[in-house]
């Protein structure tokens, strides 16, 4: 089962591992979006107001306008859902990965994991520079360099139709 796949040059295990990584990240995005969609109390306001660091002023100003908060909430929820579906299905995977990297980068810069920053919102642990957002960003960068949706995914079907 270590033979190389002619379509990708990956071994079978490399393909399986990369596809599973793509699907698991997709699941994470999809689940986070769906949870927010069905939580009538959820808003990005608290997260934005809890921002710290170099770019916190930008996040505070976004949170100061109720209409902007509503737009950010919709973009956040549907962005998470669409990125998740795209990654899980291998549909527009490159666009989904880039969008996910951008979204998680915004989360990262709004709440940088630095020792001298305290946040009101609960955190899952104690981090210094590297947190789950940064790890997931780099996992998605790996998937950009080792794409799998053209091997296993809807993108493969789209490519076949376009040929």
């Amino acid at each position: 089962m270590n033979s190389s796949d002619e379509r990708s040059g990956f071994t079978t295990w490399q393909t399986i591992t990369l596809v599973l990584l793509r699907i698991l990240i997709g699941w994470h995005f999809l689940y986070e979006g769906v949870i927010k969609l069905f939580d009538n109390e959820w808003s990005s306001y608290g997260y934005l107001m809890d921002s710290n660091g170099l770019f916190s002023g930008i996040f505070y100003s976004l949170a100061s306008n109720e209409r902007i908060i509503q737009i950010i909430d919709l973009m956040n929820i549907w962005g998470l859902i669409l990125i998740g579906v795209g990654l899980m299905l291998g549909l527009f995977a490159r666009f989904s990965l880039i969008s996910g990297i951008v979204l998680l980068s915004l989360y990262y810069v709004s709440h940088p994991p630095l020792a001298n920053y305290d946040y009101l919102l609960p955190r899952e642990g104690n981090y210094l520079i590297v947190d789950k957002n940064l790890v997931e960003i780099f996992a998605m960068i790996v998937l950009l360099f080792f794409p799998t949706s053209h091997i296993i995914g809807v993108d493969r079907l789209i490519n076949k139709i376009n040929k």
Side-chain angles (χ1 to χ4, degrees), residues 10 18 94 97 138-148 150:
F10 302 152
L18 290 168
R94 184 169 191 74
L97 286 165
F138 275 87
M140 288 189 292
I141 290 170
V142 168
L143 291 172
L144 278 174
F145 285 101
F146 299 98
T148 60
H150 66 282

Side-chain angles (χ1 to χ4, degrees), residues 44-45 47-51 54-70 72:
S44 60
Y45 177 81
Y47 190 82
L48 293 170
M49 290 305 293
D50 196 32
S51 179
L54 183 62
F55 301 103
S56 60
I58 295 169
F59 296 108
Y60 297 154
S61 67
L62 291 171
S64 69
N65 184 312
E66 188 175 326
R67 184 67 186 139
I68 291 175
I69 286 291
Q70 291 172 346
I72 289 171

Side-chain angles (χ1 to χ4, degrees), residues 23 28 36 54:
I23 291 170
H28 182 227
K36 288 170 178 54
L54 183 62

Side-chain angles (χ1 to χ4, degrees), residues 16-158:
I16 290 168
T17 305
L18 290 168
V19 169
L20 284 175
L21 179 62
R22 188 189 79 216
I23 291 170
L24 291 172
I25 292 172
W27 171 260
H28 182 227
F29 274 82
L30 177 61
Y31 182 77
E32 288 293 329
V34 169
I35 288 298
K36 288 170 178 54
L37 179 64
F38 290 110
D39 181 354
N40 294 329
E41 300 296 316
W42 182 83
S43 171
S44 60
Y45 177 81
Y47 190 82
L48 293 170
M49 290 305 293
D50 196 32
S51 179
N52 232 327
L54 183 62
F55 301 103
S56 60
I58 295 169
F59 296 108
Y60 297 154
S61 67
L62 291 171
S64 69
N65 184 312
E66 188 175 326
R67 184 67 186 139
I68 291 175
I69 286 291
Q70 291 172 346
I71 293 168
I72 289 171
D73 289 352
L74 277 174
M75 289 176 62
N76 195 27
I77 289 168
W78 287 104
L80 288 165
I81 290 171
L82 293 173
I83 291 166
V85 168
L87 292 176
M88 290 182 72
L89 296 178
L91 174 64
F92 308 122
R94 184 169 191 74
F95 179 75
S96 297
L97 286 165
I98 292 168
S99 299
I101 290 167
V102 169
L103 185 58
L104 287 182
S105 295
L106 288 170
Y107 295 167
Y108 184 84
V109 298
S110 76
H111 286 74
L114 299 173
N116 58 338
Y117 291 160
D118 291 320
Y119 297 101
L120 296 174
L121 298 174
R123 293 173 20 167
E124 295 174 349
N126 299 306
Y127 302 106
L128 180 61
I129 300 170
V130 178
D131 66 359
K132 68 179 182 178
N133 290 324
L134 191 61
V135 171
E136 201 164 25
I137 288 167
F138 275 87
M140 288 189 292
I141 290 170
V142 168
L143 291 172
L144 278 174
F145 285 101
F146 299 98
T148 60
S149 64
H150 66 282
I151 304 166
I152 299 173
V154 177
D155 287 343
R156 178 177 180 201
L157 299 174
I158 292 171

